[in-house]
Amino acid sequence: MTIEEAQETVDRWIKTYGVRYFGELTNMTVLTEEVGELARIISRRYGEQSWKASDPRAVDNGREALGEEMADVLWVLLCLANQTGVDLTQELQKSIDKKTKRDATRHICNPKLKA
């Protein structure tokens, strides 16, 4: 699925099942919540925090939940893009072009990144 197809699929779902988009401020808050849920899993799976004994995600060390939370973040980001008229395909390409031009040698020449 392309980014454009993902935006169209989310839009179709919202119009079919979701009644309407939440307001932009609400969706920004929901995005923040979803990023927080993703951060919680990453901090336990890859960081120093441990799982609560009662957390069912501890069974697989958050493996399944990691992808679910990433998808939730993407979903809300696609909603925000749709409702604000942002073409994420174009914007991602512009971002890649900008970073490529700006950082053409920056990371390659960074001694901190040499292993």
Side-chain angles (χ1 to χ4, degrees), residues 27-96:
N27 269 339
M28 186 63 227
T29 303
V30 172
L31 179 62
T32 303
E33 289 177 11
E34 296 298 347
V35 169
E37 292 173 15
L38 176 60
R40 178 180 300 275
I41 292 165
I42 288 177
S43 71
R44 281 154 181 78
R45 185 170 169 83
Y46 302 103
E48 285 73 41
Q49 289 202 330
S50 60
W51 296 97
K52 292 178 184 172
S54 60
D55 194 326
R57 297 170 294 191
V59 174
D60 69 350
N61 193 27
R63 185 177 189 281
E64 185 176 334
L66 183 64
E68 290 173 9
E69 293 305 334
M70 286 183 182
D72 288 347
V73 168
L74 181 58
W75 175 274
V76 182
L77 185 61
L78 292 166
C79 286
L80 280 166
N82 285 346
Q83 66 193 127
T84 59
V86 172
D87 180 333
L88 283 176
T89 300
Q90 286 181 353
E91 295 304 322
L92 180 58
Q93 188 59 58
K94 285 173 21 183
S95 181
I96 291 167

